[in-house]
Amino acid sequence: MSDSRISRRDLLQLSAFGLGSLGLGGVPLARTGGSVTLVVSPDDPVATAPPVLRALLELQQVLARRGVTARQVETIEKAPSGSVCVVVAGCAAAMAGAALQQAGVTVPPGAESLALVPSSLGNRPVLLACGHLARGLMYAVLELVERCELTADPLASLAPARPLVEKPFNLVRAIGRPFVSDVEDKIW
């Protein structure tokens, strides 16, 4: 009669293999190398707002931690040809309008509306991160931060297959609103 017990070492190896095959073993290390160019026009008041600039700094830091070189330029023509190109712009900017039209995407109006749209500008593929106002654009860039931080390949996370367009579900988003005015409470 054979002994069907498994050693502790074999159990741990099998458990690690099982968790890894289910995708539960944590985020694997990304391949090192590659570069990302962030195109931000200094003439775009939405893209140069302080919250957006802070989010861009976070994106650059995450990419650096993941072994990806990131640089910021002012126009698409200044982006190196082998680099993944991310255009960060307000929806009213010329670059955003061209990319949205080329992709056939419309961003709903609103302060927190955002879009991540794979498109092309100047005969090169780009990812457009846009929002009507600074808060929406900041949320779009922070979405890229999370994708780069939590995926195995940060460069692949900057090349989505289809557009992402989001807006808040609720018109009013606050928990500290006092209900003391008939005029203000009627819209609720």
Side-chain angles (χ1 to χ4, degrees):
M1 183 178 210
S2 68
D3 187 8
S4 62
R5 290 185 297 175
I6 187 168
S7 72
R8 181 176 184 273
R9 177 185 166 100
D10 290 339
L11 176 66
L12 290 173
Q13 286 178 340
L14 287 172
S15 298
F17 175 73
L19 289 174
S21 67
L22 291 173
L24 302 174
V27 178
L29 294 176
R31 65 174 188 216
T32 57
S35 67
V36 173
T37 302
L38 303 169
V39 181
V40 182
S41 172
D43 300 331
D44 185 351
V46 176
T48 55
V52 178
L53 295 177
R54 177 69 183 120
L56 283 168
L57 180 62
E58 264 190 70
L59 179 59
Q60 291 173 329
Q61 291 171 346
V62 165
L63 288 169
R65 283 195 306 268
R66 299 300 304 271
V68 177
T69 305
R71 63 183 263 188
Q72 190 170 320
V73 297
E74 298 175 354
T75 63
I76 194 83
E77 293 79 24
K78 292 182 180 178
S81 61
S83 178
V84 173
C85 194
V86 178
V87 175
V88 178
C91 290
M95 282 191 294
L100 289 169
Q101 184 178 11
Q102 192 270 339
V105 173
T106 303
V107 182
E112 297 176 356
S113 297
L114 63 97
L116 297 174
V117 181
S119 187
S120 63
L121 288 171
N123 295 324
R124 71 174 296 163
V126 299
L127 173 63
L128 171 66
C130 68
H132 281 287
L133 297 177
R135 193 177 328 151
L137 183 53
M138 176 193 66
Y139 289 154
V141 175
L142 291 176
E143 173 69 23
L144 295 177
V145 168
E146 286 185 7
R147 288 177 181 213
C148 289
E149 197 168 37
L150 300 174
T151 59
D153 186 356
L155 294 178
S157 71
L158 296 176
R162 59 183 193 274
L164 169 75
V165 179
E166 292 184 349
K167 68 176 188 169
F169 183 74
N170 296 330
L171 185 62
V172 177
R173 297 184 344 152
I175 58 171
R177 180 162 160 60
F179 291 95
V180 294
S181 168
D182 289 341
V183 175
E184 291 178 356
D185 295 342
K186 285 183 181 182
I187 62 170
W188 286 65

